[in-house]
Amino acid sequence: IKTFLSLWAVASLRLVILRSTRMPPAKVKIEKIKDERTRQNTYHKRKGGLIKKAMELSLMCECEISLVMRSAPTKTSKEGQVTAYCSKDLAEMLRDTLVQLPRSVFHNEDYNRFSKVR
């Protein structure tokens, strides 16, 4: 039993050391992805993450969120596909936005305002 426990302790220690010495994920350079397939895969993965974050923010902070995305044109969709998430009725939220224009509208040129590295 002592041998088994000591082997288990050594195996556990190795596991802890392996876990603690992992490399952090590489930083992704934010620029256009040249390969079309990789770009589409990245869009679909990040789209899901963005929608999840919007839902979380809406639920946690009781705020209204509207998110509308149009993918880049593809072979099957010449104009790109539109995806929307809205924490309440989308049409109602769009009408409200037209009545009360947003205080801030952000564009890709504003990216540096939100990135940690300046």
Side-chain angles (χ1 to χ4, degrees):
I1 291 179
K2 286 183 181 180
T3 306
F4 173 75
L5 290 176
S6 62
L7 287 174
W8 180 80
V10 169
S12 297
L13 183 59
R14 284 184 188 159
L15 185 60
V16 168
I17 291 171
L18 287 174
R19 284 185 181 163
S20 64
T21 58
R22 268 192 206 154
M23 296 278 295
K27 298 274 183 184
V28 176
K29 192 171 183 181
I30 304 299
E31 62 184 18
K32 183 178 178 180
I33 300 169
K34 292 175 178 61
D35 181 57
E36 186 177 342
R37 176 175 274 171
T38 304
R39 186 171 53 246
Q40 286 179 351
N41 287 340
T42 301
Y43 172 77
H44 289 292
K45 287 179 185 177
R46 288 185 173 235
K47 175 180 70 171
L50 185 59
I51 291 170
K52 181 180 177 188
K53 290 290 184 189
M55 288 178 181
E56 291 170 354
L57 184 61
S58 175
L59 292 169
M60 292 170 64
C61 301
E62 293 185 345
C63 61
E64 296 173 357
I65 296 178
S66 176
L67 178 64
V68 179
M69 296 173 276
R70 182 190 308 265
S71 67
T74 62
K75 293 175 185 174
T76 57
S77 176
K78 291 182 181 178
E79 295 180 8
Q81 294 181 340
V82 176
T83 303
Y85 161 74
C86 195
S87 57
K88 67 175 194 177
D89 182 54
L90 180 60
E92 180 184 340
M93 197 154 184
L94 290 172
R95 278 193 303 274
D96 292 349
T97 303
L98 290 174
V99 171
Q100 181 183 357
L101 293 175
R103 285 179 69 183
S104 321
V105 176
F106 299 104
H107 304 279
N108 287 348
E109 294 79 27
D110 300 319
Y111 176 75
N112 288 334
R113 290 182 56 191
F114 297 97
S115 64
K116 291 180 182 178
V117 179
R118 295 185 189 245

